[in-house]
Amino acid sequence: MREIQFREALREAMVEEMRLDPTVYLMGEEVAEYNGAYKVSQGMLDEFGAERVIDTPIAELGFAGIGVGSAINGLRPIIEFMTFNFSLVAIDQVINSAAKIMSMSGGQYSCPIVFRGPTGNAGMLSSQHSQNFENWFANTPGLKVVVPSNPYDAKGLLKSSIRDNDPVIFMESELMYGDKGQVPEEEYLIPIGQAKVVREGNDVTIVSFGKIMKVALAAADELAKNGVSAEVIDLRTVRPIDYATIINSVKKTNRCVIVEEAWPLAAISSELTYNIQRNAFDYLDAPVIRVNSLDLPLPYAPTLIEAILPSLKRTLEAVEAVMYKK
């Protein structure tokens, strides 16, 4: 094991898969000559050349379409969006082409493509660059949606995503690229669709994913100081969702709080709440409570950003509510 950055874990995953499989290539804005907008692809152009690490114009619909076409014809593209806010320009190729080709061809064609890039708030980038679309993509049959929270998961899940024969939406965070974590030197894979209990507990289950896992874990640390034992679950993927791990935890703790960066309406936490209350209702000692961003476009001012996003304070208040039925 050695400690590396989140961006380095992603780079190692891509480099390893490109060395193993000549059909894998990376394409996107500034991924080659500039070494990536966030330096995720640092040095990859030097190793693999311009035919496999490809700079594009600012034309998401165009290069997403090239990626989809090449995937259908036998390649395994990694398409980098500088931010998933820009994926809206390419939404037709993602939703109507990549996600549908297996079904519409009667199983004759697969589309092994990874669309990856940062999602959500990245600090003072205002409304158009701070949105979460995990639930949009997760609501689309034919797609898989992966949202890692640490370097170890990022590498193992990205390698699995590149090898997957279905289109995968792989969502990162600009605020996590510099995060460090322990990653093995030897090769490993993490299965898509498998949640992880990152902290065991008995009094309340806290579920989260992506960078908001930091809030969930901070809440568990704070609760422990007051004798409250929180079990923390990292979803890791939001399509498919590992309901079994969550339900088993709730049956043990009898309480659940879900912390998610997205807006509350039709969020991943909405689906989780429904399934928990449908499949573990008799075990619940209090209603499931969600902690989401407030239902507002994210502003520019850091004080307002802090007020809108899920916070430690709001998470602790939610746990207190389910513990004492407020």
Side-chain angles (χ1 to χ4, degrees), residues 205 246-254 256 276 280 283-284:
T205 299
I246 300 164
I247 297 301
N248 289 336
S249 177
V250 171
K251 286 180 177 179
K252 178 174 68 170
T253 66
N254 311 119
C256 185
I276 292 167
Y283 295 87
L284 287 170

Side-chain angles (χ1 to χ4, degrees), residues 13-318:
M14 292 190 290
V15 167
E16 287 178 13
E17 293 305 302
M18 289 176 72
R19 288 172 180 169
L20 288 169
D21 185 348
T23 68
V24 179
Y25 72 91
L26 172 67
M27 180 165 60
E29 295 158 358
E30 299 184 346
V31 300
E33 295 288 347
Y34 192 65
N35 289 302
Y38 314 104
K39 302 306 178 230
V40 174
S41 53
Q42 181 89 40
M44 290 178 64
L45 175 64
D46 293 337
E47 177 170 354
F48 298 105
E51 289 188 356
R52 296 184 68 194
V53 181
I54 305 167
D55 276 331
T56 69
I58 303 175
E60 285 79 8
L61 179 62
F63 65 76
I66 292 170
V68 171
S70 69
I72 294 169
N73 282 280
L75 300 183
R76 290 186 176 270
I78 306 165
I79 302 300
E80 179 178 312
F81 294 126
M82 193 177 292
T83 161
F84 265 96
N85 296 276
F86 302 162
S87 73
L88 299 188
V89 182
I91 203 76
D92 182 62
Q93 288 294 341
V94 178
I95 301 298
N96 282 329
S97 296
K100 303 293 192 298
I101 189 64
M102 174 70 79
S103 174
M104 294 182 68
S105 70
Q108 296 180 79
Y109 295 102
S110 60
C111 188
I113 186 171
V114 176
F115 298 100
R116 52 158 292 267
T119 182
N121 165 59
M124 298 178 68
L125 292 180
S126 195
S127 305
Q128 294 178 335
H129 292 68
S130 305
Q131 302 170 96
N132 292 83
F133 296 122
E134 295 92 317
N135 55 329
W136 286 33
F137 293 114
N139 195 42
T140 304
L143 298 178
K144 295 176 180 175
V145 184
V146 179
V147 194
S149 68
N150 58 78
Y152 176 85
D153 286 357
K155 181 176 179 180
L157 286 166
L158 183 53
K159 285 173 67 69
S160 293
S161 298
I162 295 168
R163 296 186 188 189
D164 201 286
N165 287 326
D166 293 320
V168 178
I169 307 296
F170 195 95
M171 308 183 95
E172 307 150 11
S173 169
E174 292 165 66
L175 298 181
M176 291 169 59
Y177 284 130
D179 289 358
K180 293 183 177 181
Q182 294 293 317
V183 177
E185 290 188 7
E186 65 272 11
E187 184 183 31
Y188 67 98
L189 300 171
I190 297 175
I192 294 174
Q194 188 176 96
K196 182 179 181 180
V197 178
V198 295
R199 179 172 180 150
E200 294 191 358
N202 299 304
D203 298 324
V204 60
T205 299
I206 302 176
V207 182
S208 190
F209 58 91
K211 68 174 174 287
I212 300 300
M213 277 298 300
K214 294 179 182 180
V215 175
L217 289 168
D221 288 339
E222 195 66 28
L223 291 165
K225 296 176 184 178
N226 297 313
V228 176
S229 173
E231 183 147 294
V232 182
I233 296 175
D234 185 348
L235 284 180
R236 302 202 288 193
T237 64
V238 297
R239 186 180 182 106
I241 292 175
D242 180 1
Y243 293 110
T245 296
I246 300 164
I247 297 301
N248 289 336
S249 177
V250 171
K251 286 180 177 179
K252 178 174 68 170
T253 66
N254 311 119
R255 301 170 180 87
C256 185
V257 170
I258 305 167
V259 191
E260 178 186 14
E261 186 176 354
W263 297 306
L265 183 63
I268 299 298
S269 55
S270 304
E271 173 67 14
L272 292 176
T273 300
Y274 165 76
N275 272 276
I276 292 167
Q277 297 187 158
R278 180 176 184 271
N279 296 302
F281 181 81
D282 291 339
Y283 295 87
L284 287 170
D285 289 339
V288 177
I289 292 183
R290 302 184 298 147
V291 181
N292 294 80
S293 290
L294 301 185
D295 203 11
L296 297 164
L298 202 66
Y300 180 81
T303 50
L304 295 178
I305 293 172
E306 184 179 355
I308 287 175
L309 292 177
S311 64
L312 175 60
K313 178 176 182 293
R314 288 173 57 204
T315 303
L316 292 172
E317 289 172 350

